[in-house]
Amino acid sequence: GTGSGVLAATMARLGLKVIATDVSEAAVRCAAQNCLDLEVEVRHGDMFAPVGGKTFDLLVVNPPYERSESTWRKSSALTSPDFLEKLGARAHEFARTVVLGFPIDDAPALEATGLDLNVWRTVETSGRDLGLFVSTAAVPPSH
């Protein structure tokens, strides 16, 4: 879920070749606009579907913070009842190292995915503090 593309643009500005995905067509358009002239390929689709069969050096994920179904009050781009479970089940098929940004007080929800997580850094915000978590698989993905 690249959303606006801010993380994709940041990674590209660091010299990385980036593939960004999102299930929202509006987010894909926004990310593509925000990543003009950068080495970012933006793809439309749900989670791993747009990159099936590929492996990467790094997977960067800023998961939905609301673990619920979408309602008229909540944007579908910010909600998902099973995103973390899907992520935990398949993330290391695509990359040995996964970096996640998630509210630090919701760390137990991330740990429940089965990913072996370490807190790398906590970022204080005006709202809920953000944790940057790293998960490294013992064996690199094979494709």
Side-chain angles (χ1 to χ4, degrees):
T2 192
S4 68
V6 68
L7 293 177
T10 299
M11 304 312 304
R13 285 189 178 105
L14 292 172
L16 301 173
K17 184 175 191 272
V18 178
I19 297 177
T21 68
D22 204 293
V23 69
S24 163
E25 290 182 19
V28 167
R29 286 191 302 274
C30 181
Q33 182 67 32
N34 288 332
C35 293
L36 283 177
D37 301 323
L38 296 172
E39 197 166 346
V40 176
E41 181 182 339
V42 183
R43 297 180 182 182
H44 177 253
D46 191 19
M47 288 193 71
F48 300 118
V51 293
K54 290 190 160 288
T55 57
F56 303 91
D57 295 324
L58 177 67
L59 178 64
V60 178
V61 183
N62 189 17
Y65 296 157
E66 298 288 337
R67 295 176 44 78
S68 62
E69 294 291 341
S70 297
T71 68
W72 67 273
R73 290 180 170 208
K74 296 179 180 178
S75 164
S76 62
L78 299 175
T79 62
S80 178
D82 60 352
F83 182 93
L84 295 180
E85 290 79 5
K86 289 179 184 178
L87 177 69
R90 300 205 51 212
H92 286 301
E93 291 176 29
F94 296 89
R96 180 168 186 238
T97 303
V98 179
V99 176
L100 299 106
F102 204 69
I104 194 77
D105 57 334
D106 283 344
L110 282 180
E111 291 171 354
T113 67
L115 291 173
D116 181 26
L117 297 171
N118 297 298
V119 175
W120 178 62
R121 181 160 294 174
T122 301
V123 178
E124 293 182 20
T125 70
S126 61
R128 297 169 70 193
D129 289 348
L130 180 67
L132 296 178
F133 299 87
V134 177
S135 176
T136 303
V139 179
S142 60
H143 278 273

